[in-house]
Amino acid sequence: MDGREAVLDKYSGRVFKNRKDHIVQLDEAGVSKQIAANSRSVPGLMINRGCCYAGCKGVVLGPLRDIVLITHGPIGCGYYTWGTRRNKADAPDGRNFIQYSFSTDMQETDIVFGGMKKLHQAIKEAVEIFHPKAVMICSTCPIGLIGDDINAVASEAEKEFGITCIAYSCEGYKGVSQSAGHHIANNGLMKRVIGSAKDEVKEKAFRINILGEYNIGGDGWEQERLLKKIGYEVVAVLTGDGSYEALTHAHTANLNLVQCHRSINYIAEMMKTKYNIDWIKVNFIGIDETIRTLRELAEYFNDEELKKRTEEVIAEELDEIAEERAFYQSKLEGKTAGVFVGGSRSHHYQNVLKDFGVKTVIAGYEFAHRDDYEGREVIPDIKLDADSKNIETITVQPDEQLYHVALDKERFNELRKNNIELEYYKGMFKDMGDGTITVDDFNHYETEKILEIFKPDIFYSGIKDKYMIQKKGVPSNQLHSYDYSGPYACFKGAITFARNTYLSIYTPAWKMLTPPWRTQSTLEGTIGDENYA
Amino acid sequence: MLDMTPKEIVKRKALRVNPAKTCQPVGAMYAALGVHRCMPHSHGSQGCCSYHRTFLARHFKEPAIATTSSFSEGACVFGGGSNLKKAVKNIFDIYNPDIIAVHTTCLSETIGDDLNTLIQELEIPEGKLVIHTNTPSYVGSHINGFANMMTGFIKYLSEKSAVDNGKIGIFPGFVNPGDMHELKRIAKLIGAKYIMFPDTDGTMNAPLTGHYEMYPKGGTTINEIRQLGGARHVLALGEITSAAPALEIKRKCDVDSTMLPLPMGIEATDSFVMALSHLSKKEVPAEIEEERGQLLDIMVDSHAYYGDKRVAIAGDPDTVLGLASFCLELGMKPKYMITGTPDQKFTQKAKEKLLKYGVIDCIAKANTDLFELHQLMKNESVDLLIGGTHCKYIARAEDVPFVRAGFPILDRYVHSYMPLVGYRGAMRMAELISNALLDRQDRDAADKDFELVM
């Protein structure tokens, strides 16, 4: 029985039938394999997925610092997304709403008689007390069921209070995971925010947006530091330490950098259509990957000075970390890892592990789609199911005023030929080795089995399974929230990541799991009764 | 920090800002985790279950197991019956609990899933059990969810008995495993026979051995919940949290109960000890009296640092009342006592307590939020703030010493092992409070005033 079969062995017929296509064993790197993804979870399995609201409010909109983001619904949803994703924000003008949680705290009567009046009143109070630049509303499960028209309330509020007010129908039950919520959030931002400043595009500057970077533990800040050091101008980050204000100008960038492909490829695509901004898949997690990314960026802009500066900065940064890098490599070389997180990170982190000689033997995503595993070339083959069809898809048209010429076709093709990830994402599979296993929508039971079969030296996951993994004697670090550490991005971040990994594996406590009395006797006895002799 | 909070207090009717409560299901999940070999099950969409598990894992630094019915749009239209059926089969197949404790979410409540009927229609394996409770998120708070889940267990399992089995039921309230452990220790010292329900001591503080047990030792057993119906008496601790299950055990099994405050501080612990002694017909042992005397010794030794200090306390209603009780015993003056849970009993209880100590200018409020507390503190500040982790932002913004106590504590370790109840718990509280105040005194002291002894 191979690893995959052993994991599936316990399942009853029905569950087996469902799960078998979500677990793939890769026998040969590079050979394409199909995986089932972005489909409904099996009821009763202890999974790690969140909901549509979590993706919309929790992930994409949550990090915006200069807006009042009201959760319309009972108190829980707003409460759980309050400061819990560690997306740091720093408002130079002091207008930082990240430390706040706003909710309509729906009561039974609101459910019975409708919550629209309460929502309107809540917006009014928010405007009067906080004077925000914009108010956004995210709905939770019961809102869709009782039929509150949050869009109507929002447009009324816009007129009445003279602010931007945007509603997102991101009820938790929509779609099959938080992925649906990313989509809804992105649609709303695209329709109402991005490009709304209407300012003209500046040609030939190295102006970029960073997409799908949520500034967990300050990752986005580290990327900005590096990029600015080279000479780039960061127009907007979507949405780590993001602001409504910056987003309105996002269309003026010359290139979009896509970090988390899953949560934001929609916006990258739409901005290409509407403003002709090219996008490039980047990865700032890992030393070699950061170098690759920086070189590809320089290649894209094709400026000699920029290329030169890029190499100087790379050399400088490498030099700064050289000593620590060597130390952690000496400690981590040859170790094995499991990497199970939401989207993209499970791929990105394999690269930084590789930097330190750690092999990823098992990996999985919580809410990815097939293209995140198999690469964007499979997108035309992905069959939409009913749950996905329920999520609004918007089409955008070229903006007559703001559409601008980026690369000419010839250069674009030339770059693509050189394997630069322009408007392409290769997916996780191509970077995984022989015999490795990938699990989509992994669950508690499978995680346990996988730990037993593969016995990795360290397992990266989230808080829900972290403690279970450690109880099994395997060190576990969180990759959703970095265990209150970070940043993990770029050169210095790689060292922080390696240090945390090293500390987890080498903590002296692991050597003390077995109490000494289990192996050494504490009782001194005699055979029989001494007096008897 | 919290720079957008204005000093001027405007009356709000609809907008909740920085809540001091969360929703029912997470409380229900926690209660179910205090039952041995029980799988909590969330009947609704996936996100709720994920959020609740995350929150409990973060507070306890422990795995918080629970499954979900994984509703998608279809289930919202056609009802969640088929999802529950599939879920229950899979849970018994894969995770093999003895009992599944189902709680609802605002989604399954709003579509009106009738859990009574749905559960009757399930195929449940021989010897296994499925119970449920209704926990609509738009009513009450996590405290009510906790109480409702206890009530659900009693409704399904507790059996009326003609004979008193001599055991004292202890409903510990929404407290940490460390608190439950301490309550049991006191009962054991007295020699009382007891059933602690629920009991997360052992389940939410399981040891690290290198072997993961999905159902660790610990937790109230199904048999014990059955036996609650024949208990001599129930001590329902936390008058707001434990009232509903106490009422249910009386209604269903005719077991009388005494409502007591959470045993925090001298007086409340005295009441608990007296009740245990009275009911078990056992004398209070010297060891307990010794602990009590030691606590008093600490309070007298350190009294100078607390006297007349103004304190703001935020959190769950019974916890706030308990903490306030001890603060008053220390000679402190509660200035604000707030909870998010909407139960007016809270203000009434607070007033009684404050009156007894002659404190007249304390604002005690239920159904409010941390934003209001912060605004109040901006208008008139305090010397100390006690509450869960979310309060740390206010403490920093207003530069007020801060003691973490209650739920949730997301940014510190060890708290869930250490009791706040009993004389030992009070000793620890005295330590936390005096350390916070003395650390501040040291921090604010000029070099020339920075001293070694006190």
Side-chain angles (χ1 to χ4, degrees):
Chain A
M1 195 155 43
D2 66 9
R4 180 179 170 276
E5 284 164 13
V7 172
L8 288 162
D9 191 45
K10 193 180 181 178
Y11 286 139
S12 65
R14 241 188 199 181
V15 179
F16 175 83
K17 209 173 145 203
N18 178 299
R19 290 301 302 159
K20 69 178 175 34
D21 298 329
H22 290 271
I23 303 178
V24 164
Q25 184 141 20
L26 301 171
D27 5 84
E28 229 179 287
V31 166
S32 71
K33 275 237 181 180
Q34 193 172 320
I35 191 164
N38 193 37
S39 58
R40 285 184 196 178
S41 300
V42 179
L45 291 193
M46 210 187 303
I47 51 167
N48 282 341
R49 279 178 166 182
C51 61
C52 183
Y53 166 85
C56 183
K57 198 276 182 180
V59 175
V60 178
L61 301 177
L64 295 174
R65 64 168 190 258
D66 59 348
I67 58 161
V68 165
L69 183 49
I70 301 175
T71 298
H72 185 37
I75 198 67
C77 306
Y79 186 86
Y80 302 117
T81 50
W82 175 21
T84 46
R85 254 182 67 87
R86 294 193 75 232
N87 8 50
K88 297 191 179 196
D90 180 21
D93 57 359
R95 296 184 60 78
N96 191 345
F97 286 107
I98 290 288
Q99 294 142 9
Y100 293 85
S101 159
F102 303 95
S103 166
T104 50
D105 189 7
M106 297 274 277
Q107 298 299 300
E108 201 162 20
T109 44
D110 305 317
I111 299 293
V112 177
F113 299 109
M116 286 168 71
K117 269 194 192 146
K118 192 172 196 185
L119 176 61
H120 179 266
Q121 176 66 20
I123 298 169
K124 183 168 182 271
E125 290 169 4
V127 171
E128 283 168 3
I129 299 170
F130 299 103
H131 316 290
K133 287 188 176 141
V135 173
M136 295 190 189
I137 302 148
C138 288
S139 56
T140 67
C141 285
I143 303 308
L145 300 173
I146 64 172
D148 272 1
D149 186 351
I150 58 170
N151 281 294
V153 178
S155 60
E156 201 183 309
E158 269 199 347
K159 277 181 232 141
E160 194 177 334
F161 308 121
I163 50 149
T164 305
C165 188
I166 307 169
Y168 299 83
S169 295
C170 54
E171 291 85 356
Y173 55 76
K174 285 190 175 165
V176 298
S177 71
Q178 48 267 63
S179 174
H182 307 144
H183 200 159
I184 289 168
N186 288 325
N187 285 350
L189 291 179
M190 198 63 205
K191 278 196 278 195
R192 294 293 315 278
V193 186
I194 291 166
S196 62
K198 298 280 174 209
D199 43 350
E200 291 287 327
V201 176
K202 293 175 197 155
E203 296 290 336
K204 286 192 180 163
F206 311 129
R207 288 165 61 83
I208 53 172
N209 295 320
I210 309 176
L211 272 51
E213 171 48 59
Y214 302 104
N215 202 31
I216 312 279
D219 273 354
W221 290 336
E222 183 59 9
Q223 289 160 31
E224 276 191 76
R225 180 190 69 81
L226 192 64
L227 289 162
K228 281 178 183 165
K229 194 173 167 185
I230 294 171
Y232 293 97
E233 189 185 338
V234 179
V235 181
V237 181
L238 278 76
T239 48
D241 191 19
S243 72
Y244 169 77
E245 182 67 31
L247 281 186
T248 63
H249 304 289
H251 65 284
T252 65
N254 295 317
L255 181 66
N256 277 329
L257 279 50
V258 171
Q259 174 85 355
C260 172
H261 173 260
R262 181 65 270 138
S263 61
I264 213 144
N265 68 66
Y266 322 94
I267 282 192
E269 287 275 283
M270 289 188 278
M271 283 177 84
K272 169 72 179 175
T273 311
K274 193 165 177 184
Y275 308 112
N276 199 28
I277 302 176
D278 291 324
W279 66 267
I280 184 166
K281 174 73 182 78
V282 298
N283 179 23
F284 287 103
I285 302 299
I287 297 166
D288 288 347
E289 276 293 282
T290 303
I291 295 172
R292 179 190 66 83
T293 291
L294 293 177
R295 286 187 177 146
E296 287 190 8
L297 291 182
E299 195 59 45
Y300 175 85
F301 284 103
N302 202 19
D303 176 276
E304 284 315 311
E305 187 52 38
L306 188 73
K307 284 183 185 169
K308 191 169 147 257
R309 184 67 191 139
T310 300
E311 293 308 323
E312 280 168 12
V313 169
I314 291 172
E316 223 172 86
E317 296 271 328
L318 282 176
D319 196 43
E320 275 182 56
I321 62 164
E323 203 177 313
E324 285 183 284
R325 181 185 187 179
F327 172 76
Y328 292 120
Q329 192 157 12
S330 76
K331 291 291 176 186
L332 299 176
E333 185 86 51
K335 303 281 182 201
T336 57
V339 191
F340 279 63
V341 214
S344 290
R345 279 175 213 269
S346 294
H347 181 194
H348 292 162
Y349 277 88
Q350 297 187 30
N351 293 303
V352 67
L353 286 166
K354 214 178 281 171
D355 287 333
F356 293 95
V358 182
K359 186 172 184 258
T360 305
V361 287
I362 37 179
Y365 287 131
E366 207 174 289
F367 51 76
H369 299 198
R370 270 182 64 199
D371 43 315
D372 299 299
Y373 297 99
E374 302 171 50
R376 283 184 69 90
E377 54 269 39
V378 301
I379 288 179
D381 303 331
I382 296 178
K383 284 195 195 89
L384 278 188
D385 56 21
D387 293 304
S388 303
K389 280 181 195 157
N390 285 339
I391 308 302
E392 176 198 39
T393 307
I394 59 170
T395 45
V396 294
Q397 304 299 326
D399 185 301
E400 281 173 27
Q401 192 193 339
L402 302 171
Y403 195 89
H404 54 288
V405 179
L407 286 188
D408 58 55
K409 193 107 195 165
E410 205 175 310
R411 174 77 184 150
F412 185 94
N413 289 335
E414 189 189 322
L415 289 175
R416 285 287 288 267
K417 214 188 290 164
N418 294 334
N419 281 330
I420 287 183
E421 292 204 331
L422 256 182
E423 284 161 39
Y424 176 71
Y425 175 47
K426 68 179 168 187
M428 182 163 78
F429 280 174
K430 297 188 186 76
D431 276 344
M432 291 194 69
D434 297 4
T436 57
I437 276 201
T438 307
V439 184
D440 174 71
D441 184 16
F442 56 99
N443 61 52
H444 189 103
Y445 166 72
E446 286 163 14
T447 310
E448 267 202 77
K449 280 312 270 190
I450 278 166
L451 288 166
E452 283 158 21
I453 297 163
F454 290 88
K455 298 183 176 63
D457 295 301
I458 185 155
F459 199 96
Y460 300 92
S461 190
I463 189 85
K464 290 192 289 291
D465 41 2
K466 175 188 171 85
Y467 299 111
M468 173 272 275
I469 296 158
Q470 296 200 153
K471 288 270 198 275
K472 277 182 109 69
V474 178
S476 178
N477 287 5
Q478 291 181 72
L479 278 191
H480 294 283
S481 67
Y482 306 169
D483 290 306
Y484 319 106
S485 181
Y488 282 172
C490 307
F491 300 97
K492 291 186 175 129
I495 297 298
T496 307
F497 172 80
R499 181 185 307 122
N500 288 354
T501 301
Y502 158 74
L503 290 175
S504 293
I505 294 177
Y506 286 92
T507 183
W510 289 125
K511 291 208 181 340
M512 303 172 194
L513 277 181
T514 311
W517 52 87
R518 282 284 172 101
T519 49
Q520 305 158 37
S521 167
T522 53
L523 303 175
E524 282 174 29
T526 49
I527 300 166
D529 188 337
E530 274 168 308
N531 292 333
Y532 184 76
Chain B
M1 190 55 53
L2 295 174
D3 292 337
M4 304 303 293
T5 303
K7 191 177 171 187
E8 189 205 347
I9 300 173
V10 186
K11 197 166 164 42
R12 283 172 286 138
K13 286 191 290 187
L15 188 68
R16 182 68 76 203
V17 188
N18 295 357
K21 65 168 179 184
T22 182
C23 61
Q24 284 209 42
V26 74
M29 192 180 277
Y30 180 50
L33 286 166
V35 172
H36 187 58
R37 293 194 64 84
C38 173
M39 177 65 82
H41 181 79
S42 168
H43 187 57
S45 47
Q46 287 154 194
C48 307
C49 187
S50 258
Y51 279 142
H52 303 150
R53 289 181 60 210
T54 295
F55 235 72
L56 295 177
R58 281 192 173 136
H59 175 84
F60 295 103
K61 325 292 180 207
E62 283 292 311
I65 53 165
T67 49
T68 163
S69 290
S70 290
F71 275 36
S72 60
E73 230 152 7
C76 299
V77 179
F78 301 109
S82 133
N83 285 49
L84 185 69
K85 200 171 153 189
K86 283 183 205 151
V88 164
K89 178 176 174 4
N90 292 334
I91 294 165
F92 282 128
D93 270 3
I94 299 162
Y95 305 115
N96 191 31
D98 287 347
I99 183 166
I100 298 172
V102 184
H103 61 262
T104 55
T105 66
C106 50
L107 171 55
S108 54
E109 282 292 323
T110 308
I111 64 170
D113 267 357
D114 176 4
L115 269 296
N116 275 316
T117 312
L118 291 179
I119 288 174
Q120 275 168 29
E121 288 165 357
L122 292 174
E123 282 169 36
I124 300 168
E126 185 73 29
K128 303 282 179 180
L129 292 160
V130 179
I131 67 127
H132 94 281
T133 193
N134 291 84
T135 48
S137 315
Y138 38 75
V139 177
S141 75
H142 57 294
I143 292 299
N144 305 90
F146 182 84
N148 284 344
M149 184 44 92
M150 287 175 70
T151 308
F153 275 108
I154 293 169
K155 267 188 189 160
Y156 274 87
L157 302 178
S158 298
E159 290 166 359
K160 190 171 174 172
S161 157
V163 225
D164 156 15
N165 60 24
K167 291 185 178 171
I168 302 161
I170 302 174
F171 296 173
F174 196 113
V175 293
N176 282 323
D179 294 304
M180 300 188 192
H181 185 85
E182 180 64 12
L183 295 173
K184 290 191 292 189
R185 190 183 68 88
I186 293 171
K188 280 176 204 157
L189 279 172
I190 292 175
K193 287 198 279 176
Y194 62 85
I195 298 166
M196 171 77 61
F197 170 64
D199 185 4
T200 56
D201 176 32
T203 63
M204 293 307 282
N205 57 3
L208 181 69
T209 58
H211 306 284
Y212 168 70
E213 300 286 343
M214 181 167 254
Y215 310 105
K217 264 190 252 169
T220 319
T221 62
I222 292 167
N223 203 26
E224 282 177 313
I225 302 174
R226 287 199 178 109
Q227 285 176 19
L228 266 181
R232 174 172 297 171
H233 196 86
V234 163
L235 292 177
L237 310 183
E239 291 154 291
I240 291 165
T241 315
S242 300
L247 203 70
E248 184 59 28
I249 196 78
K250 171 74 183 165
R251 195 193 63 76
K252 189 177 179 211
C253 306
D254 203 26
V255 175
D256 287 323
S257 58
T258 305
M259 304 291 307
L260 292 174
L262 286 181
M264 292 181 173
I266 299 260
E267 200 189 334
T269 306
D270 286 350
S271 304
F272 177 63
V273 169
M274 292 282 283
L276 279 179
S277 164
H278 172 72
L279 292 165
S280 62
K281 302 184 173 67
K282 298 263 170 72
E283 273 190 54
V284 178
E287 199 173 338
I288 288 188
E289 198 165 320
E290 190 184 16
E291 280 176 15
R292 188 180 187 277
Q294 288 169 333
L295 169 61
L296 278 174
D297 192 52
I298 289 168
M299 289 164 72
V300 168
D301 288 349
S302 57
H303 78 277
Y305 307 100
Y306 317 116
D308 282 341
K309 287 278 196 299
R310 290 161 309 161
V311 58
I313 309 169
D316 296 332
D318 290 311
T319 310
V320 173
L321 290 169
L323 293 167
S325 196
F326 185 56
C327 285
L328 285 163
E329 289 169 358
L330 289 174
M332 301 176 85
K333 300 263 182 287
K335 177 72 192 153
Y336 308 113
M337 290 168 65
I338 72 121
T339 184
T341 298
D343 192 322
Q344 295 313 320
K345 275 206 294 291
F346 171 76
T347 26
Q348 184 204 321
K349 298 261 168 220
K351 272 184 197 150
E352 286 165 16
K353 192 59 93 186
L354 293 159
L355 200 65
K356 195 171 165 187
Y357 283 85
V359 177
I360 43 167
D361 65 340
C362 174
I363 296 176
K365 257 185 130 171
N367 195 20
T368 185
D369 51 32
L370 297 181
F371 181 71
E372 180 168 6
L373 174 67
H374 188 190
Q375 288 194 303
L376 289 168
M377 282 171 63
K378 271 187 180 299
N379 285 277
E380 207 178 329
S381 195
V382 291
D383 303 302
L384 179 72
L385 173 61
I386 304 179
T389 291
H390 289 104
C391 292
K392 82 173 183 181
Y393 290 83
I394 302 175
R396 185 178 169 108
E398 300 307 314
D399 196 21
V400 168
F402 176 44
V403 167
R404 284 170 183 78
F407 178 86
I409 294 176
L410 308 170
D411 62 339
R412 290 294 184 272
Y413 293 92
V414 200
H415 54 88
S416 64
Y417 289 81
M418 298 298 175
L420 295 179
V421 299
Y423 305 118
R424 286 283 188 83
M427 283 182 202
R428 176 164 169 263
M429 261 196 278
E431 186 189 11
L432 290 171
I433 292 171
S434 61
N435 282 355
L437 293 167
L438 287 166
D439 279 349
R440 170 54 55 94
Q441 192 173 319
D442 280 346
R443 193 201 79 177
D444 293 346
D447 278 2
K448 62 184 173 161
D449 294 323
F450 195 62
E451 296 178 86
L452 182 74
V453 293
M454 55 183 181

